[in-house]
Amino acid sequence: MSVELTTLAERNAQKAEQRAAFGGLNLLHIKRQVASLLGLIGRDAIFDQYTKHDITHIDEMLRNLDWIIPDATKPVLSDADWLMIVLAVYFHDMGMLVTKAEFQARAASGFPAFCEQVLFAGSNGPDYKAKVDQLSRDDKDRFLYQEFVRHTHGERIRAWILGQAKDQLGLAQTAVSEVSKLLEPVGLLFRRDLGIVCESHHLGDLGDIQKYKVSQPYGNSDAETVNLQYCAVLLRTADLLHITSDRTPSVEFRTINPSDPLSQQEWAKQMAVTRVKSKLGVDKEGIVDEKAPRDTVEVHAFFTKEDGFFGLTSYLGYAGEQLKKSHDWISNTVKLRLAKHEFPWRKIDDTNIETQGFIRDAFEFTIDQAKILD
């Protein structure tokens, strides 16, 4: 497959190559090398069955930015903004690359402690463990290490971008060398902040404008200055909303549904989500109008099995909460007049998810305490 810079975001990011702060950068070369590295995800039995994190995921995220970024905000973004956004999309899931050697050496990493202290901890731990124990031994070992990598992949790529090999995150020296070598032309400060943005896509601290600076310069011009908070929100959103076809998100399954980690696998296997897009807004009379402001994302899907359906709806509940948080973070920054970048998305509409062969509503039984007492 030919790898080229085809999206609006990439064409704008490529302009940064002409800026003094990014001299020596070749975005097309980086993308081609990233495509090769991402192509290794799933090669050695980890993330091989149902999750795509290859260059097609990157391209789809970049295409989705065309509608995620409002038209009024696109001219506000600097060359360096576009570069930060594009590189963050390229590298954000690179931490999910697991070689056979790393998997075999998992006992020497933080993996055992993760299973004991994080994955099976808390009140839902026993139920979650019982679900996982239903898997065969090989599938269980793979699933557990996948969850470890999901949980740590943001930390992994942040360390790799800085050329740091941390054994507690997995023994992955080869990947560290490859990633750090690719990003040498952009300088240490930019790499530090790129690592922060990449790690942020599953964190809940994007309202911290001391960490995610609204105006971070890398050179002596506005074109070389980045709004890190906005870049982080865009990365988070584009990743959350790429749930079509056979691709499940990289967020750990227990974050989505602590009692049933396997339903997400079923959702992925069914390849049920056909499209995710912006929903048309309405005018003052409540009539649909293409020119009206939009604040809702709509999801189209078709399910014939209940496990996958409830896996998706659990995820959409989580994704909707994250969208609202991102909206509030950016709105607060705009209110403080620190930036003009807009983020209108607040809700997810799931009414276009169709089912066949089962009822989509969840049922529950409740006890009438008063009658029992009588």
Side-chain angles (χ1 to χ4, degrees):
M1 181 180 67
S2 176
V3 177
E4 303 295 337
L5 305 179
T6 59
T7 63
L8 172 67
E10 290 172 307
R11 292 194 295 272
N12 285 328
Q14 196 172 25
K15 296 175 184 177
E17 294 178 358
Q18 308 305 316
R19 303 295 177 181
F22 311 110
L25 177 73
N26 185 323
L27 190 62
L28 180 57
H29 170 72
I30 290 175
K31 184 177 184 180
R32 287 174 174 169
Q33 296 305 307
V34 165
S36 296
L37 290 171
L38 291 176
L40 299 177
I41 297 178
R43 184 188 63 175
D44 294 316
I46 302 298
F47 299 113
D48 66 330
Q49 292 189 335
Y50 53 85
T51 305
K52 275 191 176 181
H53 294 93
D54 60 13
I55 201 66
T56 63
H57 168 46
I58 301 306
D59 286 337
E60 189 62 30
M61 285 179 62
L62 292 170
R63 281 191 289 269
N64 284 343
L65 288 176
D66 283 353
W67 63 265
I68 292 172
I69 304 173
D71 288 339
T73 298
K74 287 171 184 171
V76 177
L77 298 174
S78 69
D79 294 349
D81 278 326
W82 287 109
L83 180 63
M84 180 65 77
I85 293 164
V86 168
L87 289 178
V89 171
Y90 284 177
F91 286 95
H92 75 286
D93 274 343
M94 189 72 73
M96 300 186 78
L97 173 58
V98 179
T99 63
K100 184 181 295 185
E102 178 188 338
F103 181 62
Q104 291 174 343
R106 60 191 181 278
S109 69
F111 170 64
F114 167 77
C115 291
E116 187 175 323
Q117 300 171 17
V118 178
L119 193 61
F120 297 138
S123 58
N124 290 310
D127 289 340
Y128 186 86
K129 188 175 186 302
K131 272 283 186 182
V132 175
D133 285 342
Q134 295 176 20
L135 298 170
S136 68
R137 180 173 178 178
D138 288 345
D139 286 346
K140 178 180 176 180
D141 287 346
R142 183 173 62 242
F143 178 83
L144 291 176
Y145 201 72
Q146 285 172 175
E147 288 299 274
F148 168 66
V149 173
R150 287 181 198 275
H151 184 78
T152 60
H153 77 280
E155 294 178 78
R156 282 161 64 97
I157 190 53
R158 181 179 179 181
W160 296 2
I161 286 171
L162 291 172
Q164 300 171 356
K166 297 182 177 181
D167 288 353
Q168 71 268 27
L169 300 176
L171 281 67
Q173 183 59 56
T174 301
V176 174
S177 300
E178 292 297 323
V179 169
S180 61
K181 188 193 312 178
L182 274 179
L183 292 168
E184 284 178 358
V186 297
L188 181 59
L189 179 61
F190 188 91
R191 292 204 309 274
R192 181 201 70 182
D193 291 342
L194 175 61
I196 290 172
V197 172
C198 285
E199 184 184 25
S200 74
H201 70 291
H202 290 315
L203 298 181
D205 64 348
L206 277 66
D208 182 356
I209 57 176
Q210 296 301 313
K211 178 179 180 181
Y212 305 100
K213 296 180 180 178
V214 178
S215 181
Q216 173 66 67
Y218 303 101
N220 194 28
S221 71
D222 289 343
E224 297 162 295
T225 301
V226 171
N227 181 338
L228 294 174
Q229 184 192 45
Y230 196 69
C231 293
V233 164
L234 290 180
L235 173 65
R236 183 188 189 86
T237 305
D239 191 48
L240 278 170
L241 296 180
H242 183 203
I243 51 175
T244 52
S245 188
D246 59 347
R247 199 250 164 201
T248 56
S250 53
V251 63
E252 56 187 304
F253 289 159
R254 193 179 179 192
T255 299
I256 304 168
N257 188 338
S259 63
D260 191 1
L262 306 186
S263 62
Q264 273 69 33
Q265 292 189 41
E266 290 303 318
W267 146 37
K269 289 175 184 175
Q270 289 185 52
M271 300 166 59
V273 181
T274 55
R275 192 171 184 194
V276 178
K277 65 186 186 74
S278 64
K279 182 177 181 178
L280 291 173
V282 296
D283 61 20
K284 293 180 180 178
E285 285 72 39
I287 299 172
V288 173
D289 184 351
E290 190 169 335
K291 296 181 181 179
R294 305 184 186 192
D295 66 358
T296 301
V297 176
E298 64 180 28
V299 178
H300 294 255
F302 180 75
F303 282 93
T304 58
K305 294 182 180 179
E306 66 276 11
D307 281 350
F309 169 77
F310 289 116
L312 175 62
T313 53
S314 293
Y315 176 75
L316 291 181
Y318 166 80
E321 293 172 1
Q322 302 310 306
L323 276 187
K324 181 62 169 60
K325 287 181 180 179
S326 293
H327 175 270
D328 291 346
W329 288 325
I330 298 301
S331 295
N332 187 58
T333 299
V334 171
K335 286 177 184 176
L336 294 173
R337 297 184 180 180
L338 298 174
K340 299 178 180 179
H341 305 62
E342 298 176 1
F343 185 84
W345 312 109
R346 298 186 297 122
K347 296 176 287 185
I348 292 180
D349 178 0
D350 65 357
T351 57
N352 291 295
I353 300 176
E354 300 181 64
T355 63
Q356 179 178 294
F358 65 96
I359 299 173
R360 63 177 285 162
D361 297 316
F363 289 89
E364 64 179 14
F365 294 96
T366 57
I367 297 174
D368 189 327
Q369 295 183 4
K371 288 187 176 180
I372 289 175
L373 290 174
D374 287 343

